[in-house]
Amino acid sequence: MQRIELAPAAALFRSLGDPTRLAIVRRLSAGPARVADLVDAVGLAQSTVSKHLVCLRDCGLVTSDPVGRSSVFQLAQPALIDVLAAAETVLAATGNAVELCPTYGTGGQP
């Protein structure tokens, strides 16, 4: 497989690679939510959550519907739930070794 063929998959993983975006996707895997709900779930400022939602929407991973004066966000791709479940399975199987990876892990740092 050529690197160019892997570019879309790499972009998907980069879009999920930010802890805040991943937390938003995880929360939305439980069902639709307003920005205020997502702010409560991730514990960050509304502007920060909104910035990450724009990224996820631009990547085609979430959609939103206006409801009154707010918007309700949901996963555009329900298969993301399967991606999250598969990631949890891999993490459990590797003993979370990815977290200790010297290149991409936290190296045991909080």
Side-chain angles (χ1 to χ4, degrees), residues 12-66:
L12 169 65
F13 285 111
R14 277 193 307 274
S15 71
L16 297 173
D18 180 88
T20 298
R21 288 192 297 274
L22 188 56
I24 290 169
V25 168
R26 177 179 268 173
R27 167 53 190 85
L28 291 176
S29 72
R34 298 172 302 131
V35 173
D37 301 325
L38 296 169
V39 165
D40 290 342
V42 300
L44 296 172
Q46 183 269 327
S47 60
T48 302
V49 171
S50 292
K51 177 185 78 167
H52 286 291
L53 284 166
V54 167
C55 175
L56 291 168
R57 188 177 58 223
D58 289 349
C59 292
L61 301 179
V62 301
T63 61
S64 63
D65 293 313

